[in-house]
């Protein structure tokens, strides 16, 4: 008995406390955890091949949340016009004709021609503008409308020396030009 006892004491005191003993203990522990995980997971599916890719797309957004992608699948809103009022493309065309037709007019007359087609904000911005400074002479294409909402559209007009972009708003169903942007070609 004393021989067995000495072997056990040797294993406990010398071997298990040495680096080799600690390494063997960690190896046994790791193999035990891996073996237990394989038993719990069940048999492997051999039809999946070497890939661990999911079979379905990974969705990170709730299906009812809106899409913020570059390509929209929603329909473009239709601009709403009150009965008897001009449509946004008509207002944009009238504004461009008045804007371009300023040569020979005084600044006051030119502003008065733009006033019924413009918001008060735009008229304030145009307060110091002179019709002689209009950089174009005539329209070269018809007005193109890009609806952004039911009460906001963008109008693009090709002119002889560039492109005019108008922003039109219709908070009460009556379309008015709210911003003018000029791009020389």
């Amino acid at each position: 008995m004393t021989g067995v006892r000495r072997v056990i004491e040797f294993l406990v005191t010398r071997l298990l406390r040495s680096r080799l003993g600690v390494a063997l203990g960690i190896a046994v522990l790791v193999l035990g955890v891996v073996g237990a995980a394989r038993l719990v997971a069940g048999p492997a599916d051999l039809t999946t091949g070497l890939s661990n890719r999911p079979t379905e797309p990974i969705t990170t957004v709730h299906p009812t949340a809106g899409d913020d992608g570059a390509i929209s699948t929603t329909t473009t809103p239709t601009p709403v016009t009150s009965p008897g009022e001009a449509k946004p493309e008509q207002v944009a065309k009238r504004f461009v004709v008045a804007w371009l037709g300023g040569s020979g007019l005084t600044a006051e007359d030119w502003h008065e021609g733009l006033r019924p087609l413009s918001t008060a904000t735009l008229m304030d911005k145009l307060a110091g503008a002179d019709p002689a400074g209009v950089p174009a002479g005539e329209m070269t294409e018809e007005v193109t409308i890009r609806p952004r909402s039911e009460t906001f559209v963008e109008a693009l007009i090709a002119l002889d020396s560039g492109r005019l972009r108008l922003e039109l708003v219709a908070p009460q169903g009556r379309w008015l030009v709210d911003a003018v942007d000029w791009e020389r070609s």
Side-chain angles (χ1 to χ4, degrees):
M1 273 291 212
T2 60
V4 174
R5 188 175 186 173
R6 283 187 181 179
V7 170
I8 293 174
E9 281 179 13
F10 173 76
L11 287 176
V12 171
T13 59
R14 303 257 177 159
L15 186 61
L16 292 180
R17 289 187 181 179
S18 70
R19 289 182 188 176
L20 178 63
V22 172
L24 284 174
I26 291 173
V28 169
L29 182 65
V30 168
L31 289 175
V33 170
V34 169
R38 287 195 175 197
L39 285 174
V40 172
D45 185 9
L46 299 176
T47 61
T48 59
L50 297 176
S51 174
N52 63 352
R53 286 186 241 148
T55 57
E56 298 292 323
I58 298 172
T59 304
T60 59
V61 178
H62 193 275
T64 59
D67 182 15
D68 64 348
I71 299 173
S72 175
T73 57
T74 59
T75 58
T76 304
T78 304
V80 175
T81 305
S82 292
E85 296 291 338
K87 296 190 179 302
E89 54 271 5
Q90 295 169 325
V91 173
K93 187 171 183 173
R94 289 179 194 160
F95 181 89
V96 172
V97 169
W99 190 65
L100 294 174
S103 64
L105 294 177
T106 65
E108 293 81 27
D109 291 339
W110 182 65
H111 283 107
E112 287 305 313
L114 296 175
R115 189 174 311 284
L117 305 167
S118 307
T119 62
T121 304
L122 179 61
M123 290 310 297
D124 289 344
K125 291 177 184 176
L126 293 175
D130 186 7
V134 173
E138 62 181 321
M139 290 176 49
T140 58
E141 294 178 19
E142 287 299 312
V143 175
T144 303
I145 296 292
R146 284 193 223 167
R148 301 296 186 201
S149 74
E150 291 179 349
T151 59
F152 176 70
V153 299
E154 182 179 55
L156 302 172
I157 305 100
L159 303 175
D160 58 354
S161 60
R163 186 172 80 162
L164 188 64
R165 187 181 68 82
L166 305 176
E167 292 180 1
L168 287 86
V169 294
Q172 306 293 316
R174 180 173 178 256
W175 291 97
L176 297 171
V177 178
D178 190 48
V180 178
D181 187 24
W182 170 254
E183 180 181 299
R184 186 172 298 278
S185 60

